[in-house]
Amino acid sequence: MIKAEWFFWLVGGLFLLMAAQMLTDPTNPKRRGTAAFWGLLGLGFVYSSWVANGSAPPEPLGAAVLVMICLAAFGRTGRGVRPADEAEKEAARRRKSADRFGGWLFLPALTIPAVALVCAVGLKEAHWNGQPLLQKGSETILGLGIGAVVALVVGMVLVRERRPAEPVAAGRSMLESMGSALLLPQLLATLGAIFAVSGVGEQVRRITTAVLPEGSVLLAVVVYCAGMFLFTVVMGNGFAAFPVMTAAVGWPVLVEQAHGNAPAVLAVGMLAGFCGTLVTPMAANYNLVPAALLELTDQYGPIKAQLPTAFILLGCNMTIMYLFAV
């Protein structure tokens, strides 16, 4: 049986390999902090498997996360800088390659969802020697991992790259470009789970039920959607906002009291939260990381461009929920 933890170990190994490269990069003035940050992340991917099965204490993993936060917060991470002539040669080589392959360069990226779909649907019930081929409940994440490996092979064949170290170096360069912002969504999603366990949603529910007029479905829809929007702006992740606002308004008011269609209410509520994703720098993977990768002069350019769309879609979601979900 192919287990999900194998994929996590592979990811952790890659982070450790890239951290070793960063440590030996003389062009990075913060190479020690950078290597420590990504090295701790790699060790976390491996060590967390033992934490999950109960054979290791979770405290070292939490300490590693705190150290990583301190490294990022105090500016101890950075990136290597190529000499100007090398950078120009690399840019010219990439332009030439892009002109040569054109749209075929999207093939590796499209390979990932295709393989993930095959694994999640086509191989979900596949067995080998009486055992499930893919670990039960992890078919999607395994499909993503297998798809990434297949896409790497497809990309190397497509561009006729025979040096295995080249994609590792390219991945390391991308990691250094994105920096610690890459991990912000995961940390914020964890924060949402902590809020749910600590009872924040229940406290918000008490406040909203005390304020909302009884029987005012329209106002409850506005509060739920606007709350999903605002919580997502604050926490940067719709999945972090969802348990709080759903426990506060979505389920007790719109589903139980107003007898709304639960799947429709919750799905549209999540879409309202995604509107908040478009307008917050906390959603770093959507807004700040693309700006860094594209080297935009205004790091908030994507947010400014998405503002009108976000508010129009928020209004549309409120209308759809009121007319068709409750």
Side-chain angles (χ1 to χ4, degrees), residues 4-290:
E5 61 184 7
W6 296 355
F7 172 50
F8 297 136
W9 292 349
L10 175 61
V11 174
L14 287 174
F15 280 131
L16 289 172
L17 178 59
M18 293 177 185
Q21 291 181 337
M22 295 170 186
L23 185 61
T24 58
D25 183 4
T27 66
N28 185 352
K30 301 178 181 179
R31 59 182 180 274
R32 292 185 180 85
T34 307
F37 182 90
W38 297 108
L40 286 172
L41 180 61
L43 290 173
F45 268 89
V46 179
Y47 183 80
S48 58
S49 296
W50 300 321
V51 174
N53 62 27
S55 61
E59 287 80 7
L61 195 59
V65 172
L66 293 176
V67 172
M68 291 169 60
I69 292 173
C70 290
L71 288 172
F74 291 105
R76 303 309 303 169
T77 60
R79 58 181 300 186
V81 181
R82 286 186 174 183
D85 56 340
E86 290 186 14
E88 291 178 2
K89 291 180 180 178
E90 177 64 18
R93 186 181 71 83
R94 292 189 177 187
R95 285 194 296 268
K96 184 179 179 180
S97 178
D99 293 338
R100 177 184 176 187
F101 294 103
W104 285 102
L105 290 175
F106 289 99
L107 182 61
L110 296 175
T111 300
I112 298 177
V115 174
L117 181 63
V118 170
C119 291
V121 179
L123 298 180
K124 187 175 183 178
E125 302 300 330
H127 285 70
W128 181 268
N129 290 334
Q131 294 287 334
L133 181 62
L134 303 178
Q135 182 178 351
K136 285 294 184 181
S138 300
E139 295 88 356
T140 301
I141 190 66
L142 282 172
L144 177 63
I146 296 171
V149 174
V150 173
L152 173 62
V153 175
V154 170
M156 293 183 69
V157 172
L158 178 65
V159 301
R160 297 182 177 88
E161 179 58 66
R162 299 180 179 179
R163 298 167 296 174
E166 188 63 23
V168 176
R172 173 198 134 195
S173 177
M174 183 172 291
L175 277 184
E176 290 179 333
S177 298
M178 292 185 288
S180 59
L182 178 68
L183 302 183
L184 190 57
Q186 287 80 3
L187 294 176
L188 293 172
T190 303
L191 179 62
I194 294 174
F195 280 178
V197 173
S198 61
V200 173
E202 175 62 22
Q203 297 303 318
V204 176
R205 183 193 66 78
R206 292 179 180 179
I207 296 173
T208 53
T209 52
V211 173
L212 285 174
E214 186 175 355
S216 179
V217 177
L218 176 59
L219 186 57
V221 168
V222 172
V223 170
Y224 181 45
C225 292
M228 280 293 301
F229 178 89
L230 292 175
F231 263 87
T232 302
V233 169
V234 172
M235 295 192 284
N237 193 303
F239 294 100
F242 184 75
V244 175
M245 288 307 302
T246 298
V249 182
W251 189 263
V253 178
L254 294 177
V255 175
E256 292 186 338
Q257 294 182 16
H259 306 290
N261 182 290
V265 169
L266 303 184
V268 177
M270 182 63 80
L271 292 175
F274 291 159
C275 295
T277 304
L278 298 175
V279 301
T280 174
M282 299 297 286
N285 56 330
Y286 282 97
N287 300 323
L288 299 186
V289 168

